[in-house]
Amino acid sequence: MKISKKTGIFLFSLAGLLMALTIIIHQNPGPSANPREELLKKILSCGIIVLACLVFAKWYEKFTTIPVELYQSRHLIWKLAKNDFKKRYAGSYMGAAWALAQPVVTVVMYYIVFDKLMGGAGRGVEDAPFVLFLTAGLVPWFYFNEALNNGTNALREYDYLVKKVVFKISILPIIKIIAASFIHVFFVAVLLIVAALYGYYPTIYTIQILYYSICLFVFVLALCYTTCSIVVFFKDLTQIINIVLQIGIWATPILWNLDAAPKKWVMVLKLNPLVYIVNGFRSAIYRQEWFFEDFFSTMYFWIVTVVLFGIGVAVFKRLKNHFADVL
């Protein structure tokens, strides 16, 4: 089913209007809420929504081409994603077990260093066992790390498909991200087992893990359309991303608690969209908080993700015709 341009613009603008109205009407119930800060958040959020609607209306065709192609190729995407996952470990004696070994060793080493040797320094007022606190932060990070690296190199790895005129190369990044999702499912299961061992059994809040995983999936896909396009022409981007990821694991409250940070830095740290994801996993596992309770963080995350997706689509469409020549 194809949606006309007028209908598409209307639906997108309606969604933006509803989001803006929700932001305007919402009142932060927290006792520490700053009226001026809340007003500034609302003005900035509504301004970004209006700008996004105007840009979407102007370049409607460019922004909708890739989502339509992804939907039309959904069966092919699923098949290629499964093949990609199997191919990655073909010929290895331990197979997919190697994909699980390094993250497990990483969790164990961080646990020994930060909990046993350092006594859990930096956790702030967190009541949960440190190994659960740590695992809940590392599970989404491992997914983000692998999906971003693999998605960035999707066009280079499948260069023989890029050179085919009839092949829809826009599906390549999502194939790599779906392949990374298979390992993510395993680690979510490990996280639930660790939580159960410490007495935190699944509750109605636990279903939010699916929501936050979808959030992370869409966010990394939005990033990959930009990175996979640029890396074709600027191969050093891969090394830059690795350095950024090394910094990112410390800039995100994975090994430390956001409550332990100085208050003046909390707002700056929250500009990192992954803070929303990491805190969300912990809320789903043991804090028993709903995602909509942190209203502005939810709105901020989705506004940033939509903007990044729009930028990624625009960059991809702009450079698409030159991929085959360079590769």
mmCIF file of all heavy atoms in Angstrom, residues 148-192:
data_model
loop_
_atom_site.group_PDB
_atom_site.id
_atom_site.type_symbol
_atom_site.label_atom_id
_atom_site.label_comp_id
_atom_site.label_asym_id
_atom_site.label_seq_id
_atom_site.Cartn_x
_atom_site.Cartn_y
_atom_site.Cartn_z
ATOM 1 N N LEU A 148 26.732 -0.876 15.601
ATOM 2 C CA LEU A 148 27.285 0.306 14.953
ATOM 3 C C LEU A 148 28.490 -0.053 14.099
ATOM 4 O O LEU A 148 28.613 0.412 12.959
ATOM 5 C CB LEU A 148 27.670 1.344 16.011
ATOM 6 C CG LEU A 148 28.253 2.660 15.473
ATOM 7 C CD1 LEU A 148 27.259 3.370 14.563
ATOM 8 C CD2 LEU A 148 28.656 3.585 16.623
ATOM 9 N N ASN A 149 29.384 -0.872 14.638
ATOM 10 C CA ASN A 149 30.568 -1.273 13.868
ATOM 11 C C ASN A 149 30.184 -2.064 12.620
ATOM 12 O O ASN A 149 30.683 -1.793 11.520
ATOM 13 C CB ASN A 149 31.505 -2.109 14.746
ATOM 14 C CG ASN A 149 32.422 -1.242 15.592
ATOM 15 O OD1 ASN A 149 33.000 -0.283 15.098
ATOM 16 N ND2 ASN A 149 32.540 -1.566 16.863
ATOM 17 N N ASN A 150 29.303 -3.045 12.780
ATOM 18 C CA ASN A 150 28.910 -3.873 11.638
ATOM 19 C C ASN A 150 28.079 -3.096 10.625
ATOM 20 O O ASN A 150 28.238 -3.251 9.409
ATOM 21 C CB ASN A 150 28.121 -5.096 12.116
ATOM 22 C CG ASN A 150 28.981 -6.046 12.929
ATOM 23 O OD1 ASN A 150 30.200 -5.963 12.911
ATOM 24 N ND2 ASN A 150 28.349 -6.947 13.664
ATOM 25 N N GLY A 151 27.163 -2.254 11.121
ATOM 26 C CA GLY A 151 26.341 -1.456 10.223
ATOM 27 C C GLY A 151 27.153 -0.443 9.434
ATOM 28 O O GLY A 151 26.877 -0.179 8.256
ATOM 29 N N THR A 152 28.184 0.112 10.067
ATOM 30 C CA THR A 152 29.045 1.086 9.401
ATOM 31 C C THR A 152 29.779 0.463 8.218
ATOM 32 O O THR A 152 29.966 1.096 7.175
ATOM 33 C CB THR A 152 30.065 1.672 10.402
ATOM 34 O OG1 THR A 152 29.359 2.391 11.423
ATOM 35 C CG2 THR A 152 31.036 2.611 9.713
ATOM 36 N N ASN A 153 30.194 -0.792 8.370
ATOM 37 C CA ASN A 153 30.962 -1.464 7.316
ATOM 38 C C ASN A 153 30.104 -2.303 6.383
ATOM 39 O O ASN A 153 30.641 -3.116 5.611
ATOM 40 C CB ASN A 153 32.037 -2.349 7.964
ATOM 41 C CG ASN A 153 33.094 -1.532 8.672
ATOM 42 O OD1 ASN A 153 33.768 -0.711 8.062
ATOM 43 N ND2 ASN A 153 33.255 -1.732 9.974
ATOM 44 N N ALA A 154 28.780 -2.137 6.451
ATOM 45 C CA ALA A 154 27.875 -2.971 5.648
ATOM 46 C C ALA A 154 28.120 -2.818 4.155
ATOM 47 O O ALA A 154 28.194 -3.814 3.417
ATOM 48 C CB ALA A 154 26.423 -2.612 5.984
ATOM 49 N N LEU A 155 28.265 -1.604 3.666
ATOM 50 C CA LEU A 155 28.437 -1.390 2.225
ATOM 51 C C LEU A 155 29.776 -1.924 1.740
ATOM 52 O O LEU A 155 29.881 -2.472 0.637
ATOM 53 C CB LEU A 155 28.303 0.096 1.890
ATOM 54 C CG LEU A 155 26.951 0.743 2.195
ATOM 55 C CD1 LEU A 155 26.974 2.212 1.805
ATOM 56 C CD2 LEU A 155 25.822 0.022 1.463
ATOM 57 N N ARG A 156 30.796 -1.780 2.547
ATOM 58 C CA ARG A 156 32.124 -2.267 2.172
ATOM 59 C C ARG A 156 32.161 -3.792 2.178
ATOM 60 O O ARG A 156 32.806 -4.405 1.323
ATOM 61 C CB ARG A 156 33.175 -1.697 3.113
ATOM 62 C CG ARG A 156 33.315 -0.176 3.030
ATOM 63 C CD ARG A 156 34.226 0.358 4.116
ATOM 64 N NE ARG A 156 35.577 -0.185 3.998
ATOM 65 C CZ ARG A 156 36.521 0.003 4.924
ATOM 66 N NH1 ARG A 156 36.236 0.687 6.026
ATOM 67 N NH2 ARG A 156 37.717 -0.500 4.752
ATOM 68 N N GLU A 157 31.495 -4.408 3.135
ATOM 69 C CA GLU A 157 31.495 -5.862 3.212
ATOM 70 C C GLU A 157 30.685 -6.484 2.076
ATOM 71 O O GLU A 157 31.045 -7.533 1.549
ATOM 72 C CB GLU A 157 30.934 -6.308 4.557
ATOM 73 C CG GLU A 157 30.967 -7.814 4.762
ATOM 74 C CD GLU A 157 30.555 -8.223 6.164
ATOM 75 O OE1 GLU A 157 30.622 -7.369 7.080
ATOM 76 O OE2 GLU A 157 30.149 -9.389 6.343
ATOM 77 N N TYR A 158 29.582 -5.829 1.724
ATOM 78 C CA TYR A 158 28.731 -6.338 0.640
ATOM 79 C C TYR A 158 28.930 -5.515 -0.637
ATOM 80 O O TYR A 158 27.967 -5.201 -1.337
ATOM 81 C CB TYR A 158 27.266 -6.285 1.059
ATOM 82 C CG TYR A 158 26.880 -7.330 2.080
ATOM 83 C CD1 TYR A 158 26.750 -7.004 3.426
ATOM 84 C CD2 TYR A 158 26.636 -8.644 1.700
ATOM 85 C CE1 TYR A 158 26.397 -7.955 4.370
ATOM 86 C CE2 TYR A 158 26.279 -9.607 2.627
ATOM 87 C CZ TYR A 158 26.160 -9.258 3.968
ATOM 88 O OH TYR A 158 25.808 -10.201 4.890
ATOM 89 N N ASP A 159 30.182 -5.205 -0.935
ATOM 90 C CA ASP A 159 30.457 -4.356 -2.104
ATOM 91 C C ASP A 159 29.992 -4.999 -3.407
ATOM 92 O O ASP A 159 29.631 -4.308 -4.362
ATOM 93 C CB ASP A 159 31.945 -4.017 -2.183
ATOM 94 C CG ASP A 159 32.835 -5.254 -2.236
ATOM 95 O OD1 ASP A 159 32.330 -6.362 -1.947
ATOM 96 O OD2 ASP A 159 34.027 -5.112 -2.569
ATOM 97 N N TYR A 160 29.984 -6.344 -3.455
ATOM 98 C CA TYR A 160 29.534 -7.023 -4.679
ATOM 99 C C TYR A 160 28.040 -6.827 -4.916
ATOM 100 O O TYR A 160 27.573 -6.892 -6.061
ATOM 101 C CB TYR A 160 29.873 -8.512 -4.614
ATOM 102 C CG TYR A 160 29.284 -9.247 -3.433
ATOM 103 C CD1 TYR A 160 28.054 -9.895 -3.526
ATOM 104 C CD2 TYR A 160 29.966 -9.290 -2.217
ATOM 105 C CE1 TYR A 160 27.509 -10.564 -2.447
ATOM 106 C CE2 TYR A 160 29.430 -9.969 -1.119
ATOM 107 C CZ TYR A 160 28.212 -10.594 -1.251
ATOM 108 O OH TYR A 160 27.673 -11.248 -0.166
ATOM 109 N N LEU A 161 27.276 -6.588 -3.852
ATOM 110 C CA LEU A 161 25.857 -6.293 -4.017
ATOM 111 C C LEU A 161 25.630 -4.827 -4.363
ATOM 112 O O LEU A 161 24.693 -4.481 -5.078
ATOM 113 C CB LEU A 161 25.096 -6.648 -2.729
ATOM 114 C CG LEU A 161 25.022 -8.137 -2.368
ATOM 115 C CD1 LEU A 161 24.285 -8.329 -1.042
ATOM 116 C CD2 LEU A 161 24.313 -8.917 -3.464
ATOM 117 N N VAL A 162 26.496 -3.962 -3.828
ATOM 118 C CA VAL A 162 26.382 -2.530 -4.117
ATOM 119 C C VAL A 162 26.548 -2.273 -5.613
ATOM 120 O O VAL A 162 25.911 -1.384 -6.184
ATOM 121 C CB VAL A 162 27.449 -1.739 -3.323
ATOM 122 C CG1 VAL A 162 27.438 -0.263 -3.727
ATOM 123 C CG2 VAL A 162 27.209 -1.879 -1.829
ATOM 124 N N LYS A 163 27.385 -3.085 -6.252
ATOM 125 C CA LYS A 163 27.668 -2.886 -7.673
ATOM 126 C C LYS A 163 26.563 -3.431 -8.579
ATOM 127 O O LYS A 163 26.602 -3.218 -9.798
ATOM 128 C CB LYS A 163 28.994 -3.548 -8.025
ATOM 129 C CG LYS A 163 30.184 -2.915 -7.304
ATOM 130 C CD LYS A 163 31.471 -3.695 -7.523
ATOM 131 C CE LYS A 163 32.608 -3.096 -6.725
ATOM 132 N NZ LYS A 163 33.865 -3.866 -6.870
ATOM 133 N N LYS A 164 25.603 -4.141 -7.999
ATOM 134 C CA LYS A 164 24.480 -4.631 -8.788
ATOM 135 C C LYS A 164 23.438 -3.530 -8.953
ATOM 136 O O LYS A 164 22.963 -2.965 -7.961
ATOM 137 C CB LYS A 164 23.844 -5.856 -8.125
ATOM 138 C CG LYS A 164 24.697 -7.109 -8.204
ATOM 139 C CD LYS A 164 23.937 -8.329 -7.702
ATOM 140 C CE LYS A 164 24.754 -9.601 -7.890
ATOM 141 N NZ LYS A 164 23.995 -10.801 -7.435
ATOM 142 N N VAL A 165 23.078 -3.249 -10.166
ATOM 143 C CA VAL A 165 22.191 -2.122 -10.451
ATOM 144 C C VAL A 165 20.807 -2.322 -9.849
ATOM 145 O O VAL A 165 20.196 -1.381 -9.343
ATOM 146 C CB VAL A 165 22.058 -1.920 -11.986
ATOM 147 C CG1 VAL A 165 21.099 -0.766 -12.283
ATOM 148 C CG2 VAL A 165 23.413 -1.678 -12.607
ATOM 149 N N VAL A 166 20.288 -3.549 -9.868
ATOM 150 C CA VAL A 166 18.900 -3.793 -9.463
ATOM 151 C C VAL A 166 18.750 -4.050 -7.958
ATOM 152 O O VAL A 166 17.627 -4.174 -7.467
ATOM 153 C CB VAL A 166 18.313 -4.982 -10.241
ATOM 154 C CG1 VAL A 166 18.257 -4.671 -11.722
ATOM 155 C CG2 VAL A 166 19.133 -6.244 -10.002
ATOM 156 N N PHE A 167 19.839 -4.159 -7.235
ATOM 157 C CA PHE A 167 19.749 -4.496 -5.814
ATOM 158 C C PHE A 167 19.521 -3.241 -4.971
ATOM 159 O O PHE A 167 20.167 -2.207 -5.180
ATOM 160 C CB PHE A 167 21.024 -5.200 -5.347
ATOM 161 C CG PHE A 167 20.923 -5.783 -3.970
ATOM 162 C CD1 PHE A 167 20.329 -7.021 -3.772
ATOM 163 C CD2 PHE A 167 21.386 -5.079 -2.875
ATOM 164 C CE1 PHE A 167 20.225 -7.560 -2.501
ATOM 165 C CE2 PHE A 167 21.290 -5.608 -1.595
ATOM 166 C CZ PHE A 167 20.702 -6.857 -1.410
ATOM 167 N N LYS A 168 18.596 -3.324 -4.007
ATOM 168 C CA LYS A 168 18.304 -2.197 -3.121
ATOM 169 C C LYS A 168 19.316 -2.171 -1.985
ATOM 170 O O LYS A 168 19.161 -2.847 -0.961
ATOM 171 C CB LYS A 168 16.889 -2.320 -2.561
ATOM 172 C CG LYS A 168 15.806 -2.246 -3.629
ATOM 173 C CD LYS A 168 14.423 -2.411 -3.017
ATOM 174 C CE LYS A 168 13.342 -2.353 -4.090
ATOM 175 N NZ LYS A 168 11.987 -2.557 -3.520
ATOM 176 N N ILE A 169 20.363 -1.402 -2.138
ATOM 177 C CA ILE A 169 21.457 -1.408 -1.169
ATOM 178 C C ILE A 169 21.075 -0.740 0.151
ATOM 179 O O ILE A 169 21.802 -0.861 1.136
ATOM 180 C CB ILE A 169 22.715 -0.718 -1.748
ATOM 181 C CG1 ILE A 169 22.422 0.758 -2.072
ATOM 182 C CG2 ILE A 169 23.203 -1.452 -2.974
ATOM 183 C CD1 ILE A 169 23.654 1.522 -2.512
ATOM 184 N N SER A 170 19.930 -0.089 0.187
ATOM 185 C CA SER A 170 19.496 0.553 1.433
ATOM 186 C C SER A 170 19.182 -0.460 2.520
ATOM 187 O O SER A 170 19.106 -0.113 3.700
ATOM 188 C CB SER A 170 18.260 1.417 1.179
ATOM 189 O OG SER A 170 17.190 0.638 0.673
ATOM 190 N N ILE A 171 19.015 -1.744 2.149
ATOM 191 C CA ILE A 171 18.685 -2.761 3.146
ATOM 192 C C ILE A 171 19.928 -3.333 3.827
ATOM 193 O O ILE A 171 19.816 -4.041 4.828
ATOM 194 C CB ILE A 171 17.881 -3.921 2.527
ATOM 195 C CG1 ILE A 171 18.754 -4.783 1.620
ATOM 196 C CG2 ILE A 171 16.679 -3.387 1.757
ATOM 197 C CD1 ILE A 171 18.070 -6.019 1.091
ATOM 198 N N LEU A 172 21.128 -3.032 3.322
ATOM 199 C CA LEU A 172 22.342 -3.641 3.858
ATOM 200 C C LEU A 172 22.635 -3.263 5.318
ATOM 201 O O LEU A 172 22.975 -4.146 6.116
ATOM 202 C CB LEU A 172 23.541 -3.299 2.959
ATOM 203 C CG LEU A 172 23.465 -3.879 1.534
ATOM 204 C CD1 LEU A 172 24.663 -3.443 0.706
ATOM 205 C CD2 LEU A 172 23.390 -5.398 1.586
ATOM 206 N N PRO A 173 22.529 -1.984 5.706
ATOM 207 C CA PRO A 173 22.796 -1.662 7.115
ATOM 208 C C PRO A 173 21.858 -2.375 8.088
ATOM 209 O O PRO A 173 22.292 -2.864 9.133
ATOM 210 C CB PRO A 173 22.605 -0.142 7.169
ATOM 211 C CG PRO A 173 22.868 0.328 5.782
ATOM 212 C CD PRO A 173 22.333 -0.753 4.900
ATOM 213 N N ILE A 174 20.586 -2.462 7.757
ATOM 214 C CA ILE A 174 19.624 -3.079 8.674
ATOM 215 C C ILE A 174 19.867 -4.589 8.773
ATOM 216 O O ILE A 174 19.589 -5.206 9.814
ATOM 217 C CB ILE A 174 18.178 -2.772 8.252
ATOM 218 C CG1 ILE A 174 17.222 -3.050 9.423
ATOM 219 C CG2 ILE A 174 17.763 -3.559 7.043
ATOM 220 C CD1 ILE A 174 15.801 -2.579 9.168
ATOM 221 N N ILE A 175 20.412 -5.190 7.721
ATOM 222 C CA ILE A 175 20.742 -6.613 7.769
ATOM 223 C C ILE A 175 21.794 -6.866 8.846
ATOM 224 O O ILE A 175 21.681 -7.812 9.647
ATOM 225 C CB ILE A 175 21.256 -7.093 6.393
ATOM 226 C CG1 ILE A 175 20.097 -7.157 5.396
ATOM 227 C CG2 ILE A 175 21.950 -8.451 6.503
ATOM 228 C CD1 ILE A 175 20.546 -7.415 3.967
ATOM 229 N N LYS A 176 22.823 -6.031 8.893
ATOM 230 C CA LYS A 176 23.889 -6.205 9.876
ATOM 231 C C LYS A 176 23.372 -5.960 11.297
ATOM 232 O O LYS A 176 23.803 -6.624 12.250
ATOM 233 C CB LYS A 176 25.033 -5.244 9.563
ATOM 234 C CG LYS A 176 25.605 -5.357 8.168
ATOM 235 C CD LYS A 176 26.215 -6.716 7.927
ATOM 236 C CE LYS A 176 27.503 -6.930 8.666
ATOM 237 N NZ LYS A 176 28.178 -8.195 8.306
ATOM 238 N N ILE A 177 22.454 -5.014 11.446
ATOM 239 C CA ILE A 177 21.930 -4.701 12.776
ATOM 240 C C ILE A 177 21.023 -5.817 13.281
ATOM 241 O O ILE A 177 21.051 -6.169 14.464
ATOM 242 C CB ILE A 177 21.195 -3.339 12.748
ATOM 243 C CG1 ILE A 177 22.179 -2.222 12.394
ATOM 244 C CG2 ILE A 177 20.541 -3.054 14.099
ATOM 245 C CD1 ILE A 177 21.531 -0.876 12.169
ATOM 246 N N ILE A 178 20.232 -6.389 12.389
ATOM 247 C CA ILE A 178 19.385 -7.516 12.786
ATOM 248 C C ILE A 178 20.255 -8.712 13.176
ATOM 249 O O ILE A 178 19.965 -9.425 14.146
ATOM 250 C CB ILE A 178 18.412 -7.898 11.655
ATOM 251 C CG1 ILE A 178 17.380 -6.791 11.456
ATOM 252 C CG2 ILE A 178 17.701 -9.210 11.966
ATOM 253 C CD1 ILE A 178 16.429 -7.020 10.293
ATOM 254 N N ALA A 179 21.341 -8.938 12.438
ATOM 255 C CA ALA A 179 22.253 -10.035 12.769
ATOM 256 C C ALA A 179 22.843 -9.843 14.162
ATOM 257 O O ALA A 179 22.992 -10.803 14.927
ATOM 258 C CB ALA A 179 23.361 -10.120 11.720
ATOM 259 N N ALA A 180 23.155 -8.603 14.517
ATOM 260 C CA ALA A 180 23.672 -8.313 15.859
ATOM 261 C C ALA A 180 22.595 -8.516 16.921
ATOM 262 O O ALA A 180 22.907 -8.784 18.085
ATOM 263 C CB ALA A 180 24.202 -6.878 15.915
ATOM 264 N N SER A 181 21.331 -8.407 16.519
ATOM 265 C CA SER A 181 20.228 -8.552 17.470
ATOM 266 C C SER A 181 20.109 -9.982 18.003
ATOM 267 O O SER A 181 19.616 -10.191 19.107
ATOM 268 C CB SER A 181 18.897 -8.146 16.808
ATOM 269 O OG SER A 181 18.936 -6.814 16.365
ATOM 270 N N PHE A 182 20.572 -10.962 17.231
ATOM 271 C CA PHE A 182 20.487 -12.356 17.679
ATOM 272 C C PHE A 182 21.319 -12.568 18.946
ATOM 273 O O PHE A 182 20.885 -13.233 19.887
ATOM 274 C CB PHE A 182 20.960 -13.305 16.571
ATOM 275 C CG PHE A 182 20.100 -13.259 15.337
ATOM 276 C CD1 PHE A 182 20.652 -13.324 14.071
ATOM 277 C CD2 PHE A 182 18.721 -13.147 15.441
ATOM 278 C CE1 PHE A 182 19.859 -13.289 12.936
ATOM 279 C CE2 PHE A 182 17.904 -13.115 14.308
ATOM 280 C CZ PHE A 182 18.482 -13.184 13.062
ATOM 281 N N ILE A 183 22.520 -12.006 18.973
ATOM 282 C CA ILE A 183 23.371 -12.094 20.165
ATOM 283 C C ILE A 183 22.764 -11.290 21.303
ATOM 284 O O ILE A 183 22.825 -11.674 22.475
ATOM 285 C CB ILE A 183 24.790 -11.590 19.849
ATOM 286 C CG1 ILE A 183 25.443 -12.483 18.795
ATOM 287 C CG2 ILE A 183 25.648 -11.563 21.118
ATOM 288 C CD1 ILE A 183 25.655 -13.903 19.241
ATOM 289 N N HIS A 184 22.152 -10.160 20.961
ATOM 290 C CA HIS A 184 21.533 -9.311 21.981
ATOM 291 C C HIS A 184 20.427 -10.065 22.727
ATOM 292 O O HIS A 184 20.298 -9.941 23.951
ATOM 293 C CB HIS A 184 20.970 -8.052 21.334
ATOM 294 C CG HIS A 184 20.247 -7.146 22.278
ATOM 295 N ND1 HIS A 184 20.874 -6.502 23.322
ATOM 296 C CD2 HIS A 184 18.926 -6.770 22.340
ATOM 297 C CE1 HIS A 184 19.991 -5.783 23.986
ATOM 298 N NE2 HIS A 184 18.812 -5.937 23.419
ATOM 299 N N VAL A 185 19.656 -10.845 22.002
ATOM 300 C CA VAL A 185 18.589 -11.636 22.632
ATOM 301 C C VAL A 185 19.178 -12.586 23.669
ATOM 302 O O VAL A 185 18.634 -12.750 24.769
ATOM 303 C CB VAL A 185 17.798 -12.414 21.565
ATOM 304 C CG1 VAL A 185 16.827 -13.397 22.222
ATOM 305 C CG2 VAL A 185 17.026 -11.452 20.661
ATOM 306 N N PHE A 186 20.304 -13.212 23.338
ATOM 307 C CA PHE A 186 20.960 -14.111 24.286
ATOM 308 C C PHE A 186 21.374 -13.372 25.554
ATOM 309 O O PHE A 186 21.164 -13.849 26.673
ATOM 310 C CB PHE A 186 22.189 -14.757 23.630
ATOM 311 C CG PHE A 186 23.064 -15.505 24.597
ATOM 312 C CD1 PHE A 186 22.742 -16.794 24.997
ATOM 313 C CD2 PHE A 186 24.200 -14.899 25.122
ATOM 314 C CE1 PHE A 186 23.549 -17.476 25.901
ATOM 315 C CE2 PHE A 186 25.009 -15.576 26.021
ATOM 316 C CZ PHE A 186 24.690 -16.868 26.415
ATOM 317 N N PHE A 187 21.956 -12.194 25.395
ATOM 318 C CA PHE A 187 22.426 -11.459 26.569
ATOM 319 C C PHE A 187 21.277 -10.902 27.410
ATOM 320 O O PHE A 187 21.415 -10.743 28.627
ATOM 321 C CB PHE A 187 23.384 -10.335 26.146
ATOM 322 C CG PHE A 187 24.776 -10.819 25.896
ATOM 323 C CD1 PHE A 187 25.288 -10.859 24.625
ATOM 324 C CD2 PHE A 187 25.562 -11.276 26.937
ATOM 325 C CE1 PHE A 187 26.564 -11.332 24.388
ATOM 326 C CE2 PHE A 187 26.839 -11.750 26.723
ATOM 327 C CZ PHE A 187 27.343 -11.777 25.433
ATOM 328 N N VAL A 188 20.173 -10.604 26.777
ATOM 329 C CA VAL A 188 18.990 -10.219 27.556
ATOM 330 C C VAL A 188 18.554 -11.389 28.428
ATOM 331 O O VAL A 188 18.192 -11.209 29.604
ATOM 332 C CB VAL A 188 17.848 -9.768 26.618
ATOM 333 C CG1 VAL A 188 16.530 -9.660 27.394
ATOM 334 C CG2 VAL A 188 18.179 -8.419 25.980
ATOM 335 N N ALA A 189 18.613 -12.592 27.873
ATOM 336 C CA ALA A 189 18.268 -13.786 28.656
ATOM 337 C C ALA A 189 19.231 -13.967 29.824
ATOM 338 O O ALA A 189 18.817 -14.293 30.946
ATOM 339 C CB ALA A 189 18.289 -15.027 27.752
ATOM 340 N N VAL A 190 20.520 -13.735 29.582
ATOM 341 C CA VAL A 190 21.517 -13.813 30.658
ATOM 342 C C VAL A 190 21.221 -12.770 31.732
ATOM 343 O O VAL A 190 21.305 -13.051 32.936
ATOM 344 C CB VAL A 190 22.945 -13.610 30.097
ATOM 345 C CG1 VAL A 190 23.962 -13.471 31.228
ATOM 346 C CG2 VAL A 190 23.326 -14.758 29.182
ATOM 347 N N LEU A 191 20.858 -11.568 31.308
ATOM 348 C CA LEU A 191 20.524 -10.498 32.252
ATOM 349 C C LEU A 191 19.343 -10.898 33.135
ATOM 350 O O LEU A 191 19.357 -10.668 34.356
ATOM 351 C CB LEU A 191 20.202 -9.216 31.474
ATOM 352 C CG LEU A 191 19.678 -8.022 32.284
ATOM 353 C CD1 LEU A 191 20.686 -7.603 33.349
ATOM 354 C CD2 LEU A 191 19.369 -6.843 31.361
ATOM 355 N N LEU A 192 18.328 -11.487 32.538
ATOM 356 C CA LEU A 192 17.155 -11.914 33.307
ATOM 357 C C LEU A 192 17.519 -13.014 34.304
ATOM 358 O O LEU A 192 16.993 -13.053 35.426
ATOM 359 C CB LEU A 192 16.059 -12.398 32.359
ATOM 360 C CG LEU A 192 15.444 -11.333 31.441
ATOM 361 C CD1 LEU A 192 14.445 -11.968 30.487
ATOM 362 C CD2 LEU A 192 14.766 -10.237 32.263
#
